[in-house]
Amino acid sequence: MKPELSLQLLDTHAGGDVSRIVTGGIDPLPGRTVREQMAYLRDDADGVRRLLLAEPYGIPEMSVDLLVPATDPRAAAGYIIMEVMGYPIYSGSNTICTATAVLDAGWVPKREGRQRFMLESPAGLVQIEAVVRDGVVEAVTCGGLPSYIHTHRAHIEVPDLGRVTYSVAYSGGFYALVDAAELGFDLTLDEERALARTAHAIVEAIQAEQGFSHYTLGDVGPLPFLHFMGPEERVAEGYVRSRSATYVHPGVICHSTTGTGTSARLALMNHEGRIRPGDRLETVSLRNTGFIGQFSSETRAGGYRVVNNTITGRAYVLARSEIVVNCDDPLVECDGLHHILSSRNST
């Protein structure tokens, strides 16, 4: 009988952003590191990403994380991040979801209280601290990528918007950082579509004007992201809260504030001398979900003030499922996919 092709999934969300964790159904990928395996998926097997982020299986607002065996013996598992714009080497919300998934699926045994382990992302090893109470993962803290300000308070003319002031941070990807109030936004849910249109116009204008290069990674592609910053509210000594919204793709404002967006904000606050090691920033989304970023320390690299930081949030398990991949379905494209799908005979 014709083999049935399937994928095993665990759907989660952190801050409202759904991360679909692929726990089974994909053959081992070539590559000596998770970064090399990510490159293989991107260049030779992009069908997995396209399948799970498009109809009839998914939507562009979701993310997909493929669990793979770690190549570094210090890590409990590896993961490859897939989003509608491609393959980011790191993501805070995806890391929080993946850490929750490996605990829920038993890749890492749950222990009551606080427990630490490492995951291997395409960006390298990530330290995880999870809080488990009554068998439930209530919080995950993960290391954010070292973040820095590349450009501070530059100006650009944007069609239909006029002169826009922005800064550019690197926090796992290059982010334009803009003041929401200067653009007429209060960062409420009813503004979501207008925020997406505005962000797209600004990002396109910046991309047309210049590119950005990381001091060690070099050219990582055109600036893809924009983070709207709301007013900062001092909640307590060393603790600030701010409404925020992150644009990642035409038409897509993340439901969460994103971990990398939060790291970018920490880098800006440090660059402007408004934060000290140990201080925390809580970013609050249009849907009133949040992440907490903590500034750990500053180092100097490539001529930049680089912020070491952590991101804390919570992921919720939504579903455990197995999907059937029917390559005869006219809505399903199996090119770039079939050769890495594990198969089993139908019964």
Side-chain angles (χ1 to χ4, degrees):
M1 299 181 67
K2 187 175 181 178
E4 181 178 294
L5 303 174
S6 62
L7 294 174
Q8 290 74 54
L9 307 174
L10 194 154
D11 286 353
T12 63
H13 88 84
D17 286 326
V18 174
S19 290
R20 173 164 282 175
I21 316 298
V22 182
T23 59
I26 300 294
D27 288 331
L29 302 175
R32 295 167 299 173
T33 64
V34 170
R35 180 70 170 268
E36 289 184 1
Q37 292 175 27
M38 179 203 78
Y40 175 80
L41 268 188
R42 181 192 64 210
D43 299 337
D44 297 293
D46 190 46
V48 178
R49 183 184 67 88
R50 296 198 307 269
L51 178 85
L52 294 176
L53 291 177
E55 294 180 356
Y57 295 102
I59 56 174
E61 288 82 0
M62 298 172 62
S63 299
V64 174
D65 299 292
L66 172 62
L67 288 181
V68 297
T71 63
D72 190 309
R74 293 172 291 175
Y79 64 109
I80 298 169
I81 306 159
M82 292 171 271
E83 297 183 347
V84 66
M85 78 293 296
Y87 293 80
I89 62 171
Y90 192 70
S91 161
S93 60
N94 282 284
T95 300
I96 290 167
C97 286
T98 300
T100 301
V102 298
L103 287 164
D104 191 82
W107 286 43
V108 174
K110 285 181 187 175
R111 297 199 307 269
E112 285 292 305
R114 295 182 181 273
Q115 64 181 107
R116 290 175 174 265
F117 58 93
M118 285 189 178
L119 295 175
E120 185 182 356
S121 76
L125 291 175
V126 183
Q127 179 69 56
I128 303 294
E129 181 179 88
V131 176
V132 179
R133 291 193 178 92
D134 298 325
V136 176
V137 182
E138 292 194 343
V140 170
T141 298
C142 58
L145 285 195
S147 306
Y148 66 94
I149 295 301
H150 180 286
T151 302
H152 185 241
R153 293 192 65 79
H155 307 284
I156 193 167
E157 290 293 328
V158 181
D160 300 324
L161 293 178
R163 192 168 188 253
V164 173
T165 301
Y166 69 96
S167 298
V168 173
Y170 182 86
S171 55
F174 279 107
Y175 271 87
L177 300 168
V178 298
D179 186 296
E182 288 182 3
L183 293 163
F185 292 112
D186 296 318
L187 297 180
T188 54
L189 186 57
D190 62 312
E191 297 173 331
E192 189 169 31
R193 289 186 180 180
L195 286 164
R197 289 193 300 269
T198 299
H200 180 64
I202 297 170
V203 167
E204 280 204 322
I206 295 172
Q207 288 179 348
E209 184 173 275
Q210 64 175 311
F212 298 91
S213 180
H214 189 276
Y215 60 86
T216 57
L217 299 174
D219 183 6
V220 293
L223 179 145
F225 307 129
L226 183 142
H227 188 84
F228 292 96
M229 304 179 294
E232 295 174 7
E233 170 196 2
R234 185 175 179 273
V235 178
E237 182 65 30
Y239 193 128
V240 172
R241 179 181 293 133
S242 174
R243 295 195 68 81
S244 309
T246 297
Y247 162 91
V248 294
H249 189 72
V252 179
I253 295 289
C254 283
H255 289 194
S256 78
T257 54
T258 73
T260 47
T262 303
S263 295
R265 290 285 297 277
L266 290 173
L268 181 63
M269 294 171 75
N270 179 60
H271 186 87
E272 295 177 345
R274 298 186 292 106
I275 196 169
R276 297 177 297 177
D279 287 355
R280 292 175 292 169
L281 165 70
E282 181 183 359
T283 52
V284 180
S285 74
L286 305 182
R287 289 166 172 78
N288 295 318
T289 61
F291 291 140
I292 297 174
Q294 184 164 21
F295 173 28
S296 305
S297 63
E298 179 191 301
T299 56
R300 297 274 180 166
Y304 298 103
R305 299 170 61 187
V306 180
V307 166
N308 300 306
N309 62 98
T310 61
I311 302 297
T312 300
R314 180 173 182 176
Y316 295 85
V317 174
L318 301 174
R320 301 176 187 88
S321 63
E322 178 177 80
I323 66 167
V324 175
V325 182
N326 186 348
C327 294
D328 294 331
D329 186 335
L331 295 179
V332 176
E333 180 187 344
C334 285
D335 292 343
L337 169 68
H338 201 284
H339 61 296
I340 61 168
L341 279 176
S342 303
S343 63
R344 59 182 173 84
N345 290 327
S346 300
T347 57

